[in-house]
Amino acid sequence: MPDLMRHPLTVAALASVLAALVGAGCVLAAGVSPGAAGSALWDGMFGTDYAIGISLNQAALLILVGGGFVVAERTGLINIGGEGQICIGALAATAVGVNAGGLPAAVAVPLVLVAGFAGGAVWAFPAAWLKVRRGTSEVITTLLLNFVGLGLVSLAVHENALLRQPVTSAETLPQSEPLAAGAHLPLLGLVTSPATIAIVLALVAAIGLGILLRGTATGLKLTAVGLSAPAAARLGLPVTRLEMASLACAGGFAGLAGAALVATAPFVLSDGFSSGYGFQGLVVGLLGRGSMLGVVAAALLFGFLNSGGINLQLVAQVPAATVQIVQSLLVISIAGAMLWTREANS
Amino acid sequence: MSAVVDLLAGGVTMAVPVLVAASGELVSERTGILNLSLEGMVLTSAFAAVYGSGQTDSPVLGTLCGVLAGLVFAGGQAVLSVTVRANQMIVGIAANTLALGITSYGSRVLLGDAQGRTVPGFQPLKVPLLHDIPVLRQSGLAYVALALVVVLGVLGSRRTGLGLALDAVGADAAVADQAGLPVRAVRYGAVLTTGLMAGLAGAQLALSEVHAFTDNMTSGLGYLAIVAVIAGRWRMVPMMLACLFFGVAQALQFTAPAMGVNLPVAILVVSPYLIALLAVSGLAGRSRAPAALAVPFVRKG
């Protein structure tokens, strides 16, 4: 019986119950009936094609960031830099996308996505290099690079010489020009839904990464490095190269998420365009506990909860912060119980 | 000339809450606990300080509320980091989201229509002579907090037994444990110290500078304090200089146009992070990160 109590799924279920109870408490304290709040939350998650589309688009971003995180985690590296990598990926994608006028979508969309992946990978590189050459903790460097990345986006959209749209009046917002029509991510074509092919892309990436990690020699090598870098080096594995590649891969997928973000309506790069997907993706990656299926499940949960929370505030007048509280309690209780579950499995 | 004075005065004012928060975080990090949740601690304290001051009409009681909130928050963090040995990165980031959620929710439900309204706060002290120097025109709370920073700096210097104990626990907890140091107690004390200082930093920001609460009013102040610890290479005096520099860089955003300097704001905003990157890169001198930073301790065998 204790093994069942210590199963990760049991812990996740108990954490969900706890978080849901606190969420219900927040709803009651705001003076709203739980029924009204529940139906507003449900409508915001699954009520309309629009809600489902928005949720799927967000989940896609989280799958990409979280999936990349898992790859780096496999070699024992913690990538806190998702937010910065999203920024640089989006910056590169925007630079390509606004200049892609006249290109057909079959060319422009892959170009934009590749630019995003490359941008994110490049942004992970300084952290990877410092880690393998100087032994500097990647936790600290990727954290710092987040803020530099956010600053660079701000710089790019405020400077006319960079990506700012032509200033025609005092009201011109500091943001980029919209991406050329050919560079927009195609819609999935579900009725009146804003869901783009991003979710398909993300699921394909998740399956690909899952196969890479579980079914290939490369995956085994990454795992060996993560278990013990000195032992892996004794076996003749190129530890340095594997570590750098895995962190660059994590950066690349976050950059890809950045590209998908700017290639989705409203198709512009602006200050604060990412609204924390990097940090949320990190949490999704951690909750997935090394499994791509776990990452997809956590990303869907967070994606749907995000859009449900907005509706909760709009319709039921419950502060959207309630969803933030519920999500973070979920994460803290699962993280707090990790030792408890790990001891059972070892 | 007056523009330079404005710049320095503005810089010091911006630097005070960052320095107060950073000095507490320095103590924690030297014992090996990384509190990414510092941002959330300061934000929660700022909210509690505003709520307390608004309810009691007393900024002193408000400050106490802020400090209490910081201590409670830090207590939770300490349980998770030291006793439960949870991943400090995950818990820290989630705790920041939790703090953002709780304070945004709280300001809607508890403050309601009074959101953003001015509450009783602290005014700059009218000390003769000192008051005539713009840089020193700070509130009493700021002076108390800065005095505590100095106390921490002296008590925790590596010339005292306490300071050595902090570094020993952060360098290798297992060895420190064998040498008879109470590793867990030291770490609990360190995290609670961080909470105390974060509480003062939040109260200073909310009651001496802004006199109100707005959603996410810290907007990265806690992260900046962590960055100052890194940029100062885990030493008090360089960390103080880093805070002062960060403050001036922030103030420069507002005074640069008046001084006829045209710098893109973003460059000023990212400069602290670039400096910190340089400091940890080992490209300019040796970095001295505590060896056991973010590594939980459990007695083996």
Side-chain angles (χ1 to χ4, degrees), chain B residues 93-265:
Chain B
I93 289 172
N96 286 339
T97 319
L98 182 65
L100 186 59
I102 288 178
T103 53
S104 308
Y105 177 91
S107 82
R108 275 167 195 73
V109 173
L110 290 179
L111 301 179
D113 294 334
Q115 263 182 75
R117 189 180 295 166
T118 307
V119 296
F122 296 101
Q123 301 303 326
L125 273 192
K126 294 240 189 263
V127 182
L129 291 176
L130 280 189
H131 189 67
D132 297 330
I133 310 169
V135 175
L136 299 178
R137 207 174 287 156
Q138 303 293 339
S139 68
L141 176 59
Y143 279 112
V144 171
L146 289 176
L148 267 178
V149 170
V150 174
V151 169
L152 276 186
V154 172
L155 279 184
S157 92
R158 292 195 300 159
R159 291 166 199 279
T160 68
L162 183 63
L164 287 175
L166 295 179
D167 282 345
V169 171
D172 189 331
V175 171
D177 181 53
Q178 282 172 354
L181 284 172
V183 170
R184 288 174 176 225
V186 168
R187 286 186 163 173
Y188 259 95
V191 177
L192 288 175
T193 308
T194 308
L196 167 73
M197 298 309 279
L200 289 172
Q204 162 71 10
L205 176 74
L207 297 181
S208 298
E209 293 177 15
V210 184
H211 298 269
F213 182 83
T214 51
D215 284 354
N216 195 19
M217 70 183 293
T218 44
S219 60
L221 186 152
Y223 281 116
L224 199 61
I226 295 173
V227 170
V229 174
I230 298 169
R233 290 187 189 147
W234 293 272
R235 291 289 172 268
M236 192 61 148
V237 175
M239 187 200 78
M240 286 176 159
L241 293 175
C243 289
L244 189 62
F245 176 84
F246 295 176
V248 171
Q250 271 183 303
L252 202 54
Q253 294 168 29
F254 307 107
T255 48
M259 295 165 76
V261 186
N262 202 0
L263 267 176
V265 172

Side-chain angles (χ1 to χ4, degrees), chain A residues 24-50:
Chain A
C26 288
V27 167
L28 285 176
V32 178
S33 85
S39 74
L41 185 66
W42 185 261
D43 280 349
M45 290 163 77
F46 308 104
T48 60
D49 289 344
Y50 180 81

Side-chain angles (χ1 to χ4, degrees), chain B residues 8 10 39 46 55-56 65 87 94 149 174 204 254 262-263 274 292:
Chain B
L8 280 179
E39 173 80 13
Q55 291 292 307
T56 60
C65 290
N87 181 315
V149 170
Q204 162 71 10
F254 307 107
N262 202 0
L263 267 176
L274 289 175

Side-chain angles (χ1 to χ4, degrees), chain A residues 150-156 158, chain B residues 253 263-271:
Chain A
L150 287 165
L152 286 181
V153 166
S154 173
L155 182 69
H158 278 91
Chain B
Q253 294 168 29
L263 267 176
V265 172
I267 289 178
L268 293 173
V269 173
V270 301
S271 62

